[in-house]
Amino acid sequence: MSRIVLVHGMGQEQKSADALEAEWIPALAGGIRAAGHSHIADLVWRGARPGAHETRMAFYGDLFLTSGRMGGGQDLRDLSLEQHELAQALAVEWLRRAEERAASQADREEAHRQLRALDATAAGRQGLSRAGRPALNGLARLRWFAPAGMWLAQTFAHRTLAQVTRYLTEEELSEEVQERIAAHIGPETIAIIGHSLGSVAAFQAAHRLDQELPLLLTLGSPLGLRTLVYDRLPESKTVPATTRRWVNLADRDDLVAAVPDLAPLFADPHGALASDWTLDNGSQPHLAASYLGKRQVGNAVARVLPPK
């Protein structure tokens, strides 16, 4: 059981709980320290050692590994036709968000070009729902996806979309993820922190709790994507009943957080939800460690962690 439960996002299939904890926990302690709570930060991580507040990663990346595949990760080849259409729609939605608000003018212009090309395709014999590969290739041309070259960007885009799609459409898979999160939750748990796809899983886990949860923290979350994520959630569109505070944070240039302000989308009868999209994570807007190191994260966590 853990005081703080961490839930990672997509594209982590080659890592492990230990490796991700080694990245996330120091970053989280840094965010708490940046918020002016050094004494609490020391209880999370100090001197290259975990502190008194036990923090554990609910790891599920291995569920997306495929034996015999180069790199091991699953991609669009592993999806059914219905799942492939959802992945295509996600790719188009991310291009639209990049066109609207990407920090890079070059990315906004590139996204506009790619969407115009897709519109031209739709005017012909195949609609957007069948234009998946052009949409994916368009994503790979954005700075957000392609800091390490086009081939890696295309591979990342394929695997990212495949993982999000499978989690949303395969009940057995999502239930296994929920079981792994629940295994870390006990009476002492005061926070669940979810990043990216992990924020969807964290939200769902919070809905299943019959104990008080002082903090649900979602970072770079796709929960606000209406027909693609939001409408597919089996849970009620409300702040989880036992969650006392829900903090949602997003970088403006984070394409995964396509609708960064969740407040208008989830019923909040007790004023528990605070949603802010003014973070600046620099050149890696979706990186978990960049989110965790921010003072906004540190303040939210320090509010619920006891100082001793």
Side-chain angles (χ1 to χ4, degrees):
M1 305 302 176
S2 177
R3 188 173 290 275
I4 302 173
V5 178
L6 310 173
V7 189
H8 67 82
M10 52 207 176
Q12 305 302 311
E13 63 273 4
Q14 295 298 337
K15 296 188 177 180
S16 66
D18 298 272
L20 289 173
E21 286 172 7
E23 295 175 14
W24 283 45
I25 299 176
L28 176 60
I32 297 171
R33 204 176 304 279
H37 304 283
S38 293
H39 57 300
I40 298 178
D42 287 346
L43 296 174
V44 174
W45 181 268
R46 179 64 176 167
R49 295 179 64 86
H53 292 318
E54 185 171 7
T55 304
R56 301 301 300 271
M57 175 65 67
F59 182 72
Y60 62 89
D62 58 296
L63 299 177
F64 295 110
L65 285 172
T66 299
S67 178
R69 175 75 51 77
M70 185 172 63
Q74 297 176 335
D75 60 26
L76 297 181
R77 289 171 289 180
D78 302 297
L79 302 185
S80 68
L81 178 60
E82 179 183 1
Q83 290 174 321
H84 204 283
E85 290 178 350
L86 174 59
Q88 293 164 359
L90 278 168
V92 172
E93 184 62 32
W94 283 348
L95 280 172
R96 286 174 176 154
R97 298 300 172 174
E99 180 188 33
E100 292 172 3
R101 69 164 201 267
S104 163
Q105 181 177 349
D107 272 3
R108 293 195 300 272
E109 293 173 352
E110 182 62 40
H112 179 71
R113 282 193 292 271
Q114 296 299 323
L115 287 168
R116 286 191 64 184
L118 289 172
D119 286 341
T121 301
R125 289 190 294 273
Q126 63 175 14
L128 285 180
S129 65
R130 298 189 62 189
R133 190 164 299 277
L136 286 163
N137 292 342
L139 284 180
R141 294 180 181 278
L142 303 183
R143 178 181 60 89
W144 195 95
F145 277 102
M150 183 65 68
W151 183 85
L152 288 176
Q154 289 177 345
T155 300
F156 175 72
H158 280 232
R159 291 181 178 174
T160 294
L161 288 165
Q163 290 179 14
V164 174
T165 300
R166 288 196 59 214
Y167 181 84
L168 293 173
T169 57
E170 296 182 17
E171 184 177 358
E172 184 176 351
L173 174 65
S174 61
E175 282 298 316
E176 175 64 24
V177 174
Q178 289 301 314
E179 289 178 11
R180 295 189 182 191
I181 297 172
H184 290 291
I185 296 175
E188 68 273 32
T189 300
I190 56 90
I192 302 176
I193 302 176
H195 171 248
S196 186
L197 177 59
S199 71
V200 178
F203 169 82
Q204 294 180 301
H207 261 286
R208 297 184 177 203
L209 292 180
D210 56 7
Q211 66 181 59
E212 180 175 303
L213 179 66
L215 175 66
L216 171 64
L217 180 57
T218 51
L219 309 172
S221 178
L223 276 165
L225 280 172
R226 279 281 192 172
T227 58
L228 305 176
V229 178
Y230 179 85
D231 290 342
R232 292 175 177 270
L233 295 171
E235 294 77 16
S236 62
K237 309 308 187 289
T238 183
V239 174
T242 64
T243 297
R244 296 294 164 256
R245 181 168 173 78
W246 176 9
V247 176
N248 178 69
L249 298 170
D251 182 297
R252 184 180 184 88
D253 202 28
D254 186 346
L255 299 185
V256 174
V259 182
D261 185 6
L262 300 182
L265 299 177
F266 292 88
D268 184 17
H270 305 297
L273 175 57
S275 192
D276 184 7
W277 66 310
T278 58
L279 296 188
D280 182 2
N281 290 336
S283 63
Q284 295 182 292
H286 191 59
L287 189 68
S290 296
Y291 275 111
L292 292 165
K294 296 295 184 294
R295 60 177 178 79
Q296 292 92 330
V297 169
N299 273 324
V301 175
R303 279 182 63 170
V304 299
L305 274 179
K308 294 183 180 180

